[in-house]
Amino acid sequence: MPLDIPAFNVAFNRAYDRVHRSGKPTDLASEQEKLRALIPDDASDHDRTWTTQLVDDLAVPPPPPPERSELYREAERIHIAVYPPKGTSEEQIAMLEDGRRRIWDIADRADKDEEWAIRVLTEDLESLENWLRNPPFPLTDTPFPSADG
Protein backbone atom coordinates (compact mmCIF):
# COMPACT_ATOMS: atom_id res chain seq x y z
CA MET A 1 0.00 0.00 0.00
CA PRO A 2 1.58 3.33 -1.02
CA LEU A 3 1.85 6.28 1.31
CA ASP A 4 -1.32 8.38 1.40
CA ILE A 5 0.46 11.73 1.05
CA PRO A 6 -2.57 14.00 1.54
CA ALA A 7 -3.64 12.10 4.67
CA PHE A 8 -0.10 12.21 6.06
CA ASN A 9 0.18 15.94 5.37
CA VAL A 10 -3.14 16.68 7.08
CA ALA A 11 -2.16 14.54 10.08
CA PHE A 12 1.25 16.20 10.28
CA ASN A 13 -0.21 19.72 10.12
CA ARG A 14 -2.71 18.88 12.86
CA ALA A 15 0.02 17.34 15.02
CA TYR A 16 2.22 20.40 14.43
CA ASP A 17 -0.62 22.68 15.54
CA ARG A 18 -1.22 20.60 18.68
CA VAL A 19 2.48 20.50 19.57
CA HIS A 20 3.51 24.06 18.67
CA ARG A 21 0.44 26.29 18.48
CA SER A 22 -2.28 25.02 20.82
CA GLY A 23 -0.74 26.37 24.01
CA LYS A 24 -1.75 23.14 25.73
CA PRO A 25 0.67 20.43 26.90
CA THR A 26 0.92 17.73 24.26
CA ASP A 27 2.62 14.34 24.34
CA LEU A 28 5.21 14.77 21.57
CA ALA A 29 6.19 11.08 21.53
CA SER A 30 2.55 10.05 21.11
CA GLU A 31 2.08 12.50 18.23
CA GLN A 32 5.22 11.20 16.53
CA GLU A 33 4.11 7.59 17.04
CA LYS A 34 0.74 8.32 15.40
CA LEU A 35 2.49 9.86 12.40
CA ARG A 36 4.93 6.96 12.06
CA ALA A 37 1.95 4.59 12.02
CA LEU A 38 0.77 6.33 8.84
CA ILE A 39 3.95 5.34 6.97
CA PRO A 40 3.31 1.92 5.40
CA ASP A 41 5.98 -0.77 5.65
CA ASP A 42 6.29 -0.87 1.88
CA ALA A 43 6.67 2.92 1.46
CA SER A 44 9.34 3.94 -1.02
CA ASP A 45 12.73 4.99 0.30
CA HIS A 46 11.97 8.52 -0.83
CA ASP A 47 8.63 8.65 1.02
CA ARG A 48 10.14 7.04 4.11
CA THR A 49 12.99 9.60 4.15
CA TRP A 50 10.91 12.77 3.93
CA THR A 51 8.15 11.59 6.25
CA THR A 52 10.64 10.40 8.87
CA GLN A 53 12.40 13.76 8.67
CA LEU A 54 9.12 15.60 9.23
CA VAL A 55 8.21 13.37 12.16
CA ASP A 56 11.64 13.94 13.72
CA ASP A 57 11.45 17.69 13.08
CA LEU A 58 8.18 17.85 15.00
CA ALA A 59 10.36 17.90 18.14
CA VAL A 60 12.18 21.05 17.00
CA PRO A 61 10.53 24.18 18.39
CA PRO A 62 9.69 26.80 15.78
CA PRO A 63 11.78 29.96 15.76
CA PRO A 64 10.39 32.91 17.68
CA PRO A 65 8.42 35.40 15.60
CA PRO A 66 10.58 38.20 14.26
CA GLU A 67 10.80 41.42 16.22
CA ARG A 68 8.98 44.06 14.21
CA SER A 69 9.75 47.75 14.09
CA GLU A 70 7.33 50.60 14.67
CA LEU A 71 7.34 51.18 10.89
CA TYR A 72 6.11 47.62 10.34
CA ARG A 73 3.39 48.03 12.96
CA GLU A 74 2.35 51.31 11.31
CA ALA A 75 2.06 49.52 7.95
CA GLU A 76 -0.06 46.82 9.60
CA ARG A 77 -2.39 49.46 11.04
CA ILE A 78 -2.84 50.95 7.56
CA HIS A 79 -3.57 47.50 6.14
CA ILE A 80 -6.19 46.87 8.83
CA ALA A 81 -7.79 50.27 8.14
CA VAL A 82 -8.21 49.68 4.39
CA TYR A 83 -9.02 45.96 4.30
CA PRO A 84 -11.77 45.16 3.67
CA PRO A 85 -12.53 48.38 1.80
CA LYS A 86 -15.89 50.10 2.11
CA GLY A 87 -18.05 52.25 -0.13
CA THR A 88 -18.66 52.23 -3.86
CA SER A 89 -16.36 50.32 -6.18
CA GLU A 90 -14.51 53.54 -6.97
CA GLU A 91 -14.17 54.37 -3.27
CA GLN A 92 -12.92 50.86 -2.52
CA ILE A 93 -10.33 51.11 -5.30
CA ALA A 94 -9.22 54.53 -4.05
CA MET A 95 -8.97 53.22 -0.47
CA LEU A 96 -6.87 50.22 -1.53
CA GLU A 97 -4.69 52.34 -3.81
CA ASP A 98 -4.05 54.88 -1.04
CA GLY A 99 -3.28 52.13 1.48
CA ARG A 100 -0.80 50.48 -0.87
CA ARG A 101 0.92 53.80 -1.58
CA ARG A 102 1.21 54.62 2.12
CA ILE A 103 2.60 51.18 2.95
CA TRP A 104 5.17 51.43 0.13
CA ASP A 105 6.20 54.86 1.47
CA ILE A 106 6.79 53.26 4.86
CA ALA A 107 8.78 50.43 3.28
CA ASP A 108 11.00 53.03 1.57
CA ARG A 109 11.95 54.33 5.03
CA ALA A 110 12.44 50.89 6.61
CA ASP A 111 15.67 49.02 7.23
CA LYS A 112 16.73 46.71 4.40
CA ASP A 113 16.00 43.73 6.68
CA GLU A 114 12.34 44.68 6.96
CA GLU A 115 11.64 46.56 3.73
CA TRP A 116 10.21 43.60 1.80
CA ALA A 117 8.30 42.22 4.78
CA ILE A 118 6.44 45.54 4.77
CA ARG A 119 5.93 45.57 0.99
CA VAL A 120 4.39 42.09 1.15
CA LEU A 121 1.53 43.58 3.18
CA THR A 122 0.30 45.21 -0.05
CA GLU A 123 -0.06 42.02 -2.11
CA ASP A 124 -3.62 41.16 -1.08
CA LEU A 125 -4.60 44.83 -1.38
CA GLU A 126 -3.31 44.92 -4.95
CA SER A 127 -5.05 41.64 -5.82
CA LEU A 128 -8.39 42.93 -4.57
CA GLU A 129 -7.87 46.27 -6.29
CA ASN A 130 -7.14 44.50 -9.59
CA TRP A 131 -10.20 42.30 -9.10
CA LEU A 132 -12.38 45.36 -8.50
CA ARG A 133 -10.98 47.07 -11.60
CA ASN A 134 -11.32 44.02 -13.85
CA PRO A 135 -13.46 41.23 -12.38
CA PRO A 136 -12.39 37.89 -13.88
CA PHE A 137 -16.04 37.01 -14.42
CA PRO A 138 -19.36 38.57 -13.49
CA LEU A 139 -20.48 37.78 -9.99
CA THR A 140 -23.77 38.44 -8.31
CA ASP A 141 -22.41 38.28 -4.75
CA THR A 142 -19.04 39.99 -4.41
CA PRO A 143 -16.93 39.31 -1.34
CA PHE A 144 -17.02 43.04 -0.45
CA PRO A 145 -20.33 44.46 -1.67
CA SER A 146 -20.07 48.05 -2.79
CA ALA A 147 -22.57 50.79 -2.08
CA ASP A 148 -23.16 51.15 -5.85
CA GLY A 149 -23.79 47.63 -6.69
Side-chain angles (χ1 to χ4, degrees), residues 37-48:
L38 296 175
I39 305 168
D41 292 336
D42 63 349
S44 70
D45 289 341
H46 172 75
D47 286 344
R48 185 168 303 286

Side-chain angles (χ1 to χ4, degrees), residues 8 24 30 32 59-60 62 69 72 80-82 87 101 105 109 113 116 118 127 129 138 149:
F8 181 86
K24 300 175 188 172
S30 172
Q32 289 175 313
V60 177
S69 71
Y72 186 92
I80 290 167
V82 302
R101 182 195 49 76
D105 288 347
R109 300 190 327 256
D113 294 345
W116 282 102
I118 292 172
S127 293
E129 182 184 333

Side-chain angles (χ1 to χ4, degrees), residues 1-141:
M1 169 174 64
L3 173 68
D4 184 345
I5 294 173
F8 181 86
N9 287 339
V10 166
F12 175 80
N13 289 329
R14 288 181 178 160
Y16 187 92
D17 286 344
R18 284 189 296 274
V19 170
H20 296 294
R21 295 187 180 130
S22 73
K24 300 175 188 172
T26 305
D27 182 359
L28 173 64
S30 172
E31 294 292 342
Q32 289 175 313
E33 192 175 310
K34 290 176 198 171
L35 290 170
R36 285 188 183 102
L38 296 175
I39 305 168
D41 292 336
D42 63 349
S44 70
D45 289 341
H46 172 75
D47 286 344
R48 185 168 303 286
T49 300
W50 70 263
T51 54
T52 300
Q53 186 65 53
L54 279 176
V55 172
D56 292 344
D57 286 349
L58 190 60
V60 177
E67 292 288 325
R68 295 299 188 187
S69 71
E70 181 53 36
L71 287 174
Y72 186 92
R73 290 190 293 275
E74 181 183 347
E76 280 185 317
R77 287 190 293 272
I78 292 169
H79 186 283
I80 290 167
V82 302
Y83 191 88
K86 295 168 183 54
T88 66
S89 294
E90 290 78 21
E91 290 167 337
Q92 290 179 29
I93 290 168
M95 181 181 278
L96 293 165
E97 195 172 48
D98 179 63
R100 286 190 313 108
R101 182 195 49 76
R102 291 169 49 209
I103 293 171
W104 273 76
D105 288 347
I106 291 170
D108 289 342
R109 300 190 327 256
D111 290 339
K112 292 294 176 198
D113 294 345
E114 201 169 51
E115 174 187 358
W116 282 102
I118 292 172
R119 292 189 198 287
V120 164
L121 294 173
T122 67
E123 289 180 356
D124 60 337
L125 304 179
E126 182 178 21
S127 293
L128 181 54
E129 182 184 333
N130 289 337
W131 184 87
L132 287 167
R133 288 181 191 278
N134 298 304
F137 46 85
L139 295 175
T140 55
D141 295 317

